[in-house]
Amino acid sequence: MKIFKQIANLAIIAILFIFSSCSNKQQGNAQMASQISEYNVLEVTPQNITLYQDFPATLEGEQTVEIRPRVAGYIERILVDEGDYVKKGQVLFQLNANDIRAQVRSAEAQVKVAESQVSTAKINLEKTQPLVEKSIVSEFQLESVKTELQSAEALLAQANANLANAKANLDYTMITSPTDGIIGTFPYRVGSLVSSSIATPLTTVSNTSTMRAYFSINEKVFLQMTKSLKGNTTREKLTKLPEVELVLPDQSIYNHKGKIEIASGIVDPQTGAINVRAAFPNPEGDLRSGGSGNIRLPEYHNNVLLVPQNASYEIQGKHFVYVANSDNKIVNTPIEVIVGNLKDVYVVSSGLKKGDKIVVEGIAGLRDGMEIKPKVTVQEAVADNIQPSNE
């Protein structure tokens, strides 16, 4: 009987031990479950975006003409001011013309003298001709009179040429603009003696109705930009490029868009860059020759995936994100990104697919294979220049 009681007590102890173990195991499982942390995850979806690349540019007018005098003289009047807009043919400078007017009067007098000589020679010819016919004078004298007439006519032609040249010089004392445009600076003032040989022009006139922006593009970027465009020549391909913007020095955007017109056929061996020219309309005259800015080229990407930059980390130049799988375990995933001008966002070119869930916060405390409790958030418009999808 005593032995039976001992066996019963042992059985009860064993049962209590089993129940205690199961309870401890359940409590351990519950404790482990309570230790799984909740993380915000983002389900990536395709979007259409526009990236931009900026290139420093210098501005020049469509036509910039140096204004130089064609005759020597003192500047008597300046009829425009620096920065004025002038029309073709408008008088800009007036030179003192007293000496040239005297030359014109002298040339006119020489013309009258030559005309008188021609008249005299003609009269002599008219008088000599009938005398030769009557054999009163010889043929030699007739030829001599004809020669005198030809000489007088030549002198008259020379006198007329000198008069035309003097009148032209008189006209040149009124220096006019050869084109519409903006007046440059004035290195010479009233009273300055100028001539056609001066080193510095009187001023410049810049036709700025169309402005040309000159900039350089890396050869690799240029090839990526044009390789998918249709056209038999580079010039034809450039016409297919979208319009470009001009970012002014104050970071504002010029209110007219431009087009890329030409690209140099030579790659600079030192910089590996290609010189490119874009044209912008300038109806208000806001742009000036010699100005600067940045040409902004758009780059369109359709149906691409975006990830916040703070959801990724970088190791030795490679980018990684944590992707939550179907078992709520995170997988360290490498991605390829396009670094653009999007604020706090990367464009993913490979490594992710539509519907993947990436952890977007607290990634510093994560490790590969770790189980999490995902809380799905909605992907918002994470950049100002995301284009609305047509889907």
Side-chain angles (χ1 to χ4, degrees), residues 112-309:
K112 290 179 179 180
V113 171
E115 288 175 344
S116 175
Q117 292 174 346
V118 169
S119 297
T120 301
K122 285 181 178 180
I123 291 172
N124 290 335
L125 180 61
E126 291 174 356
K127 289 169 58 178
T128 306
Q129 188 74 38
L131 295 176
V132 173
E133 293 174 356
K134 295 178 180 181
S135 299
I136 298 176
V137 298
S138 66
E139 289 285 345
F140 176 78
Q141 288 177 315
L142 178 62
E143 292 300 323
S144 178
V145 171
K146 287 181 178 179
T147 302
E148 289 176 358
L149 175 59
Q150 292 174 351
S151 177
E153 289 175 340
L155 290 174
L156 176 60
Q158 183 179 6
N160 281 323
N162 291 337
L163 176 60
N165 185 56
K167 288 182 176 180
N169 288 338
L170 183 61
D171 291 338
Y172 293 152
T173 62
M174 306 295 287
I175 301 172
T176 60
S177 174
T179 184
D180 298 347
I182 304 295
I183 291 291
T185 58
F186 294 156
Y188 304 97
R189 299 297 173 179
V190 172
S192 299
L193 177 61
V194 295
S195 67
S196 59
S197 61
I198 56 176
T200 305
L202 295 176
T203 188
T204 57
V205 177
S206 298
N207 184 348
T208 59
S209 58
T210 298
M211 293 298 294
R212 291 171 173 174
Y214 295 89
F215 60 103
S216 298
I217 298 180
N218 179 272
E219 180 185 13
K220 180 180 178 181
V221 175
F222 183 81
L223 292 174
Q224 292 174 345
M225 183 175 66
T226 58
K227 66 180 179 181
S228 61
L229 300 176
K230 295 181 180 180
N232 296 324
T233 64
T234 299
R235 196 173 192 124
E236 290 181 1
K237 290 183 177 182
L238 293 178
T239 61
K240 306 296 191 304
L241 285 173
E243 292 182 315
V244 298
E245 293 180 326
L246 176 63
V247 183
L248 300 175
D250 63 356
Q251 301 306 309
S252 64
I253 305 297
Y254 181 56
N255 57 357
H256 296 285
K257 291 188 176 182
K259 287 287 293 181
I260 293 180
E261 292 184 327
I262 61 171
S264 171
I266 300 175
V267 179
D268 190 323
Q270 296 181 345
T271 62
I274 297 173
N275 294 326
V276 182
R277 188 185 80 196
F280 291 84
N282 189 31
E284 297 87 6
D286 294 333
L287 303 181
R288 300 295 180 101
S289 290
S292 63
N294 286 312
I295 297 297
R296 178 163 289 177
L297 301 182
E299 182 179 341
Y300 302 115
H301 295 271
N302 295 324
N303 296 320
V304 293
L305 302 177
L306 306 176
V307 298
Q309 291 184 12

